[in-house]
Structure formats: C-alpha cells, structure tokens
Amino acid sequence: MEITLVLGDITEQEVDAVVNAANSSLMGGGGVDGAIHRRGGPEILEECRRLRASRYGKGLPTGQAVATTAGRLPARWVIHTVGPVHSRSQDRSELLASCYRESLRVADSLGARSVAFPAISTGIYGWPMDDAARIALEAVRQAETSVPDVRFVLFDDRAHATFASLLSGGDL
Ligand code: AR6
C-alpha cells in the first residue's frame, strides 16, 4: 500500500472512494460532511435516508462505516464513518482507529483501489491534530486491506505538516 498526503479539498479527489467524517444520524452536517453533501448533491442524502430506514434505525455507531453513491463527486462511492468526539477523560483512540479500519474494510468489499481520507475527528469533534494523525497513520498502516492507494487529504498547512512529519518517521 502506498500512503500519500494531499493538501486540499476532499470533494475534489478523483478516487474510487472518498471517506466522509459523518455523524451517526447520516443526515449531514458541517465540515467535510457539509462539503460532501453540497458538492455531491441530493442523491447521497437520499441513500443515507434509505440506510437509516433499513439497517441503521438508531444511527450508524461510532467507529463503523457504510458506503453510498458519490453522487456528482468525481468518485464512485462515499464511505461514511463516525469519528469519536475527543474526550480528555476517556481514551477513545480505539474508536478513531476503527473508523480507518472499517472504512478500508468497506472499500475492500466494494473493490475500491483508491481511497481518500480526511483527518477524521480533528474539526468539530475536537481531536488534537498530532494525536489524531498518529492514530490515523498507524491504523492505516496496520490494516489488513488490499487497497493499494490511500490518500490523506489535509485542509491546511499545519495538518499537512503534521502528517508529513509522522509519515517520514519524525516524532513531532
Ligand atoms: N476537505 C478536506 N478536509 C476538510 C474539509 C474538506 N473540504 N473541510 C474540513 N476539513 P470535520 P469531525 C478538515 O469537522 O471533526 C460534521 O458536522 C477539517 O479542517 O469535518 O470528524 C459531521 O456531521 C478537520 O481537520 O469532522 C459531524 O457532526 C477535518 O477535516 C462532525 O462534523 C475534520 O473536520 C464531525 O466532526
């Protein structure tokens, strides 16, 4: 597997699957979720509604992942996953790692060859970037997956620099 870093907008990635930092309602929100639904159009939300009605009546649990169409995005699928809200009193890193593993498992089941991830939980869900980046890179490196091309799409220079330093073996 090759891991690459991109500075930019995840909705512009030409990949098989784009991962959405969703919430368990699957009904949209801000950040990456807002951008994906805005650019991808209403087809994505329609499929999310059907998933809520069929498999996820109580919502998609934190750490799990599910795929829908990518609508008008230049991708084939959106894989929605729910990151944990950061907590100072509880270690929720296993749930964050699970988002990456489960997204790659769904990508495998679809036959996706390229997957773009945002830095899950590092926006509205409040996770410190260095900690989240460490968990993300370790989870992806250790995942049992046949996806050959994994891309992290970072929204600003600081996030990109944090991932770059860790990817090249730095301690930060
Ligand atoms: N492309 C790439 N990265 C982005 C983009 C983009 N277009 N927009 C924001 N980021 P967030 P979370 C970065 O808040 O913390 C939603 O309301 C952003 O700078 O999107 O998992 C959902 O519905 C940050 O580093 O996701 C949930 O309720 C990272 O992506 C909640 O937010 C993740 O930020 C999920 O919060």
Side-chain angles (χ1 to χ4, degrees), residues 13 17 24 27 46-47 52 58 65 75 89-90 103 105 110 116 124 134 137 147:
Q13 303 304 307
S24 47
M27 292 295 108
E46 278 161 27
E47 211 176 322
R52 282 298 305 272
K58 291 183 181 160
S89 56
Q90 247 182 325
S103 296
R105 196 179 55 72
L110 295 165
I124 292 162
R134 216 175 261 119
L137 285 167
V147 175

Side-chain angles (χ1 to χ4, degrees), residues 6-13 19-39 81-86 96 117-127 129 152-156 159 163:
V6 177
L7 179 61
D9 184 334
I10 197 153
T11 64
E12 291 172 1
Q13 303 304 307
V19 176
N20 182 18
N23 62 65
S24 47
S25 80
L26 294 176
M27 292 295 108
V32 170
D33 201 8
I36 282 179
H37 283 286
R38 242 185 340 267
R39 274 191 89 142
T81 189
V82 183
V85 175
H86 183 255
L96 184 55
F117 281 103
I120 299 166
S121 288
T122 63
I124 292 162
Y125 283 177
W127 214 289
M129 186 60 72
F152 285 97
V153 183
L154 293 326
F155 212 39
D156 57 45
F163 271 77

Side-chain angles (χ1 to χ4, degrees), residues 4-160:
T4 50
L5 307 181
V6 177
L7 179 61
D9 184 334
I10 197 153
T11 64
E12 291 172 1
Q13 303 304 307
E14 293 180 15
V15 282
D16 286 341
V18 165
V19 176
N20 182 18
N23 62 65
S24 47
S25 80
L26 294 176
M27 292 295 108
V32 170
D33 201 8
I36 282 179
H37 283 286
R38 242 185 340 267
R39 274 191 89 142
E43 246 189 292
I44 302 176
L45 194 60
E46 278 161 27
E47 211 176 322
C48 285
R49 282 215 177 85
R50 283 197 292 274
L51 282 167
R52 282 298 305 272
S54 56
R55 284 161 63 188
Y56 297 109
K58 291 183 181 160
L60 180 66
T62 304
Q64 294 192 25
V66 68
T68 65
T69 172
R72 294 195 291 261
L73 295 177
R76 295 173 71 187
W77 301 283
V78 172
I79 298 174
H80 307 262
T81 189
V82 183
V85 175
H86 183 255
S87 157
R88 262 172 297 195
S89 56
Q90 247 182 325
D91 181 6
R92 312 186 98 180
S93 27
E94 186 43 43
L95 282 170
L96 184 55
S98 170
C99 289
Y100 290 95
R101 277 197 306 270
E102 289 300 305
S103 296
L104 288 170
R105 196 179 55 72
V106 171
D108 276 326
S109 74
L110 295 165
R113 307 292 292 160
S114 51
V115 176
F117 281 103
I120 299 166
S121 288
T122 63
I124 292 162
Y125 283 177
W127 214 289
M129 186 60 72
D130 53 350
D131 202 24
R134 216 175 261 119
I135 294 163
L137 285 167
E138 188 178 282
V140 167
R141 276 182 176 138
Q142 292 178 354
E144 283 173 28
T145 175
S146 45
V147 175
D149 170 3
V150 173
R151 210 176 284 188
F152 285 97
V153 183
L154 293 326
F155 212 39
D156 57 45
D157 288 328
R158 235 195 84 244
H160 187 272

